[in-house]
Amino acid sequence: MGQKLVIVESPAKAKTIKKYLGSNFIVEASMGHIRDLPKSQLGVDVENGYNPKYITIRGKGDLLDKLKKAAKKSERVYLATDPDREGEAISWHLAKALDIQSDTPCRIEFNEITKNAVKNAIKNPRKINEGLVDAQQARRILDRLVGYEISPILWKKVKWGLSAGRVQSVALKLICDREEEILNFVPKEFWTIESELKKKKDKQNFKVKLSGYMGKKIEIDNGEQCNRIISELEQNEFKVKLVKKGSKLKNPLPPFTTSTLQQDANRKLNFSTKKTMSLAQQLYEGVEIKGKGSVGLITYMRTDSVRISEEAQKNAADFILSSYGSEYLPKTPRIYKGKKSAQDAHEAIRPTYTELTPAELKESLAPDMLKLYTLIWNRFIASQMASCILDTTSVEIVNGDYLFKTSGSKVKFDGFMKVYEYTNEEEENSINIPELEEGEVLEKKKIDGIQHFTQPPSRFNEASLVKMLEENGIGRPSTYAPIITTILERKYVERDKKNLVPTELGKIVNTIMCEYFKGIVDVDFTAELENRLDNIEDGKEKWQKIVDDFYIPLKESIEIAEKEINKITIEDKVSDIACDKCGRMMVIKQGRFGEFLACPGYPECKNTKAIVEELNVSCPKCGGKVVVKRSKKGKKFFGCENYPNCDFVSWFEPTDKKCEKCGNLVVIKYSKAKGNYFVCSNPECKHEVEK
């Protein structure tokens, strides 16, 4: 048999797949896209059907030559890029570059990187799906037209280097609109009344809340009204009117989609969407596991489906039965229904091997990777477990014509909660209620009137923004993380703790976009465009028609904006450092590699300085301070403040520790398996030191 070539995107994926294939298979990585639109020009022929001009990505020439040589030596080429639009487009570009005919069944895909999935994919190659490719191409061209046509306006009118993005602009608008709501919010006063009661001869107090008066819901607008009600309550006794006991089933949540994984990882692990997707990508492509080699640990992480395979469901059931017992298995396997808009091309995100528990992988995974895997594993196993059973109690207590209510619940059977817990608002407010009897008179400990003010809506954090984007049909699972990353990197939005807050620059850009490019920032319009991209994928619409419908009004808006927008000046933030050449206070500017200091007297004074970040570590050579520096390519390194008089330099962050074996400096390194770890900087020693 002749040689066969399999091309994937990444070396990690190549390594995992290689071990499942025979010796006559070569597995190579394309390192993502090999062709794209040029950066130096629009690259779209708007006069001739929006034909894209693709070029080999800079720096990929040698890699492409290598792939061409390998393809020529092979009797069969399989394109095994990711199972989505982007992956299909990468395969299409590879097929073009390697002269693979369009009717050749060369495309293979798998939702999980396991032996069975890979072998089955090799047995069932298909042609490249032109619908998927056209949908990706339409998105790419639309984004290019927005970015390259609107950005120059922002350069001329606001600040050089700014850029506009099609979907990112909608996300920025949501954040700016929320900020506007918060600023314009007028708090409204209201009061609530709570009473602390107890059974006679009982030590335990419990709280009840006033909810009604004479059979109607009560609203208390001010302190005077509140005090009047309290004085009436003080004169009467509290009597139990109704005690209702029951039980309630609490069902598990479905396994993760991209959106729910990003939200949960942000809430529970404090991971950014970018970090979550980076870790999930590694878990999908393969991680070195002791005694097993490179193993793909989860299914494909870009999905909006909650469906799982019958095989995975059976494996989960077997695991639950053997680990927890039959009472933890539901009577019938759980089937979850996704939203109508869900693509459902892939399964939900789940572990590929149920038996590889987080405990089993503790020694093999870096701490953060283990945390994310644990979250995915727990949620999947819980999704296939029996419901939690809650004993519930709701109580009504009367005082004259006033009605008080309270409720509580206790776990009777934990079910899926043994593995994965979540609480709703009702459960969070649940209290312990003693055994009460109807007609029983209760002892009053105190009655409190509590003043409240209505609260403005909360600022978005990454979790709530992803939820909003998904609910409004903006973007797709693959785009949530890049959307948030982009608006943060462009300095349109900044983090305040976990909240996303628009900057002054972000507000200015949003105002321009809202005034002159209403269609682009309109939520409904963007969602409809996403639906039309789906139509391209399904063969219901031609991509050129959709681009044309978008571009014609965009061109008109650009012409109006160029004429009408006046120059906007953004004041630079003034530092507390004086220019050592002319004495003016230096200002903070944004450069290619971050912030730097510049003299405001430019062009008369062209003095600039780096903003020095100091470590609390002394230079091992001269005792000076160690500072963070950047190479010409922007890579971070560490050096002595006394350079060039002292030549100490390190690519790894130095610490104030000394190696106990050889006395050299200890630095911080990182690996996927260990995370951050402390090691001797002497290459001949390499002794690891405890944190």
Side-chain angles (χ1 to χ4, degrees), residues 14-236:
K15 191 176 181 182
T16 310
I17 288 169
K18 176 65 181 166
K19 71 177 196 175
Y20 299 133
L21 299 171
S23 57
N24 58 325
F25 281 87
I26 293 174
V27 187
E28 296 287 358
S30 71
M31 310 300 290
H33 276 279
I34 51 145
R35 300 198 313 171
D36 196 8
L37 300 173
K39 288 186 176 179
S40 57
Q41 54 184 274
L42 182 64
V44 178
D45 190 346
V46 294
E47 304 298 327
N48 294 295
Y50 304 99
N51 282 333
K53 175 189 173 185
Y54 293 115
I55 61 166
T56 302
I57 293 170
R58 192 174 178 182
K60 290 284 185 87
D62 290 344
L63 174 61
L64 188 54
D65 288 341
K66 181 185 174 185
L67 294 175
K68 283 178 178 178
K69 283 174 187 173
K72 277 183 182 175
K73 289 178 186 174
S74 305
E75 67 172 35
R76 192 80 189 264
V77 178
Y78 296 99
L79 304 174
T81 50
D82 284 349
D84 57 12
R85 279 180 194 164
E86 207 66 34
E88 202 72 17
I90 294 172
S91 281
W92 181 79
H93 283 293
L94 282 166
K96 293 286 182 190
L98 302 178
D99 292 326
I100 298 171
Q101 296 304 308
S102 59
D103 60 348
T104 305
C106 61
R107 177 77 167 110
I108 62 170
E109 59 178 343
F110 26 79
N111 188 52
E112 58 185 5
I113 305 176
T114 60
K115 189 172 184 177
N116 284 345
V118 173
K119 292 270 190 184
N120 286 336
I122 292 284
K123 287 176 190 171
N124 298 288
R126 60 167 173 80
K127 296 175 191 174
I128 287 171
N129 185 326
E130 297 283 346
L132 277 172
V133 175
D134 285 348
Q136 188 276 342
Q137 187 163 254
R139 181 189 290 281
R140 184 77 187 91
I141 289 169
L142 287 169
D143 290 347
R144 172 56 65 100
L145 291 171
V146 170
Y148 275 50
E149 297 279 24
I150 298 179
S151 296
I153 295 173
L154 298 178
W155 299 350
K156 283 185 271 184
K157 306 294 185 179
V158 185
K159 189 177 182 182
W160 190 88
L162 296 184
S163 57
R166 185 177 61 85
V167 186
Q168 294 92 323
S169 297
V170 187
L172 175 62
K173 182 178 186 296
L174 290 172
I175 293 167
C176 288
D177 286 353
R178 179 62 57 91
E179 196 68 16
E180 196 71 20
E181 277 184 73
I182 294 166
L183 288 171
N184 295 332
F185 184 80
V186 179
K188 186 182 174 187
E189 181 185 15
F190 70 99
W191 290 70
T192 58
I193 293 175
E194 286 182 359
S195 181
E196 211 165 290
L197 309 173
K198 68 184 272 297
K199 282 172 70 79
K200 288 176 181 176
K201 299 180 182 178
D202 199 343
K203 291 180 181 178
Q204 181 194 355
N205 297 343
F206 65 98
K207 284 183 179 178
V208 293
K209 192 172 182 178
L210 178 62
S211 71
Y213 175 69
M214 295 185 73
K216 291 182 180 178
K217 187 180 176 183
I218 191 165
E219 290 182 0
I220 307 170
D221 299 323
N222 53 60
E224 191 178 316
Q225 183 188 358
C226 180
N227 289 333
R228 180 176 53 76
I229 294 169
I230 289 174
S231 64
E232 286 182 44
L233 294 169
E234 293 281 9
Q235 293 166 30
N236 294 313

Side-chain angles (χ1 to χ4, degrees), residues 595-622:
E595 293 179 337
F596 66 96
L597 295 171
C599 181
Y602 183 88
E604 295 89 27
C605 179
K606 297 177 180 177
N607 188 24
T608 61
K609 279 185 177 181
I611 295 175
V612 179
E613 182 187 338
E614 294 179 357
L615 298 184
N616 193 21
V617 175
S618 299
C619 172
K621 286 194 172 183
C622 73

Side-chain angles (χ1 to χ4, degrees), residues 366-391:
D368 285 346
M369 203 178 286
L370 181 64
K371 285 177 187 174
L372 191 68
Y373 180 75
T374 303
L375 199 65
I376 293 166
W377 190 92
N378 286 353
R379 174 90 164 221
F380 169 65
I381 293 297
S383 77
Q384 299 305 304
M385 291 176 76
S387 300
C388 168
I389 302 173
L390 299 170
D391 281 337

Side-chain angles (χ1 to χ4, degrees), residues 251-376:
N251 295 319
L253 297 169
F256 283 128
T257 61
T258 303
S259 161
T260 53
L261 175 64
Q262 289 173 352
Q263 290 172 55
D264 227 34
N266 186 256
R267 279 193 295 261
K268 293 184 175 178
L269 305 177
N270 204 21
F271 287 179
S272 68
T273 51
K274 184 180 179 180
K275 180 174 182 175
T276 297
M277 293 311 288
S278 173
L279 291 169
Q281 182 95 32
Q282 292 172 57
L283 289 168
Y284 165 68
E285 291 183 345
V287 184
E288 283 293 320
I289 305 300
K290 288 178 182 177
K292 295 179 183 291
S294 184
V295 179
L297 292 172
I298 64 168
T299 51
Y300 193 53
M301 63 286 155
R302 295 188 182 98
T303 178
D304 54 7
S305 171
V306 290
R307 177 179 60 81
I308 61 166
S309 68
E310 285 182 24
E311 185 185 358
Q313 198 162 49
K314 185 181 181 306
N315 289 342
D318 291 344
F319 182 87
I320 292 162
L321 192 61
S322 62
S323 301
Y324 305 111
S326 58
E327 68 270 30
Y328 284 89
L329 260 183
K331 288 176 182 174
T332 55
R334 293 190 182 277
I335 308 292
Y336 294 95
K337 287 185 179 177
K339 302 192 306 294
K340 284 184 181 177
S341 60
Q343 302 287 293
D344 209 46
H346 315 303
E347 289 186 60
I349 302 168
R350 61 165 176 82
T352 48
Y353 303 100
T354 307
E355 67 275 14
L356 287 181
T357 64
E360 291 264 330
L361 299 177
K362 194 173 182 181
E363 300 301 313
S364 299
L365 299 183
D368 285 346
M369 203 178 286
L370 181 64
K371 285 177 187 174
L372 191 68
Y373 180 75
T374 303
L375 199 65
I376 293 166

